[in-house]
Structures are given as structure tokens and as C-alpha cells.
Amino acid sequence: HAEDPQDFEDAFGRTQGRYAHDRNNFDFSYTREISKELALQTFYANQFYSSSLAGSLDSWLNRGAADITYSINSATTLAGGYEYLRRSFDGGIKADTNSVTAGVRQYFTKKLYLDARGGVDMISSFSGRDFTRPLVLASLSNDWSNKTRASIGFSKRFDTTSYNQDLFDQWRLSANVSHEFTERLRGSVGAFYGEGTYTSEGR
């Protein structure tokens, strides 16, 4: 529960001021190492969202995904994945997204590595129209030490949000630094900048 926007989705694109909301998340993942080089990961997530804004509708998110990785050598790992996402609102309004991606993790040094992934989102939108749109996800990370890690990331894709029945064409650039102060105490700081447009409303 929060009275103000708490994350990227809540803060980005809200035009009706501050209002309280409740969000409940459940996530489950399972990873299986098939061989020394090959691994499979499956993932399921469920989310419920409700806000105090008059006239707003409660929403649900169900997401399932499978990802397979193959290590060519100690420096290069290839990945491929599929994800299905359904966003539903009260009254039976819903949008479905099928995503197919391929990517790579490339180590330049023992501490510096790049995660890059590209693919397509095939979207059946809330209005019933179908869209096929590209997606790009990338991050560059550096493990400065056993206790400190820094990363910068970029993403570009069409999203559905928990509070608006419209597709959101957005990009964002983010940065994060985390540090382990003691065995029990860890901290992190992050920031992002981004822009986006609701495709139907043009806002």
C-alpha cells in the first residue's frame, strides 16, 4: 500500500495527481541445470492492483515465461525465451502479449559484462486491435568488488499498465549501485529517466 507513486509504472504517465493504491505481487520461478552448458528457467507471476481514484478499475496481471540459456564458453552465454502476459480489468477488459526474445551475456573482463536481448511483442490490445512491435533490453554491469556492483540499463518496448486500458510506448535509461556494508546489511540506490506515449490517447 502507498499514498504516492512508488515505482516506474506508478510514476510514469500518471496525469491525475497523487492517489493511494494497493498492489499485491506473487512470483514463482524454477531453474533446472540440464547440463554444464544448458539451463532452463520457468517463471510465473500474478499481480492485483487497486487504487482510490474515483472511476478507476481494479486490474490483474498473469504472466508466464520460459527461458533457456546455453554457455558457449566462460565468456559468452546465449539465451532465448518466450513470455505470455495477460492484463485484465474489471468488466472483462483485457489485453494479451506474446513475446519472443533472443539474447547474449558477454563478459569483457571477469567483472564487466553486457546483457543484451531483442525480440518482438505480439499484442492483442484492449481495443481488439493487434500489434507486432520490437523490444530491446540491455544492461552493462561491473562488479567493482565482492561487495559493490554498478549497472546501467536501457529498455524500449510497448507495455500495458495496471491503471490504464491503453498501450504505453515507452523507453527508459536507468542506473543502479549496490553495496554490501556487512554480512547482514546491504544497500542500493537507483535512478531512471524515460519518456512514453499512450498509443490511443496520444498523451
Side-chain angles (χ1 to χ4, degrees):
H1 173 80
E3 297 293 329
D4 299 325
Q6 294 295 302
D7 58 24
F8 177 75
E9 180 179 324
D10 293 325
F12 202 1
R14 283 167 58 137
T15 61
Q16 302 185 60
R18 295 182 174 181
Y19 49 87
H21 70 267
D22 294 287
R23 186 188 303 275
N24 184 73
N25 293 307
F26 171 81
D27 304 301
F28 173 82
S29 64
Y30 173 77
T31 301
R32 172 74 176 177
E33 293 185 358
I34 301 172
S35 68
K36 184 179 179 181
E37 297 84 10
L38 194 64
L40 174 68
Q41 182 179 39
T42 58
F43 179 85
Y44 171 75
N46 174 271
Q47 181 190 96
F48 170 73
Y49 176 88
S50 178
S51 82
S52 64
L53 184 66
S56 66
L57 300 176
D58 295 344
S59 69
W60 292 263
L61 173 69
N62 284 285
R63 175 184 167 217
D67 210 54
I68 191 165
T69 59
Y70 180 79
S71 297
I72 297 176
N73 50 48
S74 60
T76 306
T77 300
L78 302 179
Y82 167 78
E83 178 184 86
Y84 172 75
L85 183 150
R86 168 167 285 187
R87 179 89 64 178
S88 304
F89 286 83
D90 278 346
I93 306 166
K94 65 181 184 296
D96 297 319
T97 302
N98 291 274
S99 304
V100 180
T101 62
V104 62
R105 170 172 284 192
Q106 180 65 51
Y107 279 87
F108 303 107
T109 68
K110 290 183 178 180
K111 296 182 178 181
L112 180 66
Y113 58 93
L114 172 72
D115 285 306
R117 185 168 292 220
V120 293
D121 288 325
M122 293 161 282
I123 308 165
S124 177
S125 66
F126 298 106
S127 65
R129 294 180 59 193
D130 294 333
F131 299 88
T132 300
R133 294 291 186 269
L135 69 93
V136 177
L137 307 169
S139 65
L140 184 66
S141 303
N142 192 5
D143 298 327
W144 295 103
S145 67
N146 293 333
K147 295 184 177 182
T148 304
R149 180 187 180 195
S151 65
I152 57 173
F154 174 81
S155 67
K156 173 73 173 75
R157 72 185 307 177
F158 279 64
D159 278 337
T160 59
T161 67
S162 56
Y163 51 84
N164 193 311
Q165 299 155 39
D166 198 356
L167 296 182
F168 194 46
D169 178 14
Q170 57 90 6
W171 67 267
R172 63 169 163 167
L173 183 68
S174 58
N176 183 273
V177 177
S178 61
H179 182 72
E180 181 180 326
F181 297 99
T182 69
E183 291 183 356
R184 293 186 173 91
L185 180 64
R186 299 178 182 178
S188 65
V189 60
F192 75 86
Y193 178 82
E195 294 181 344
T197 303
Y198 288 105
T199 57
S200 296
E201 301 175 1
R203 175 163 55 83

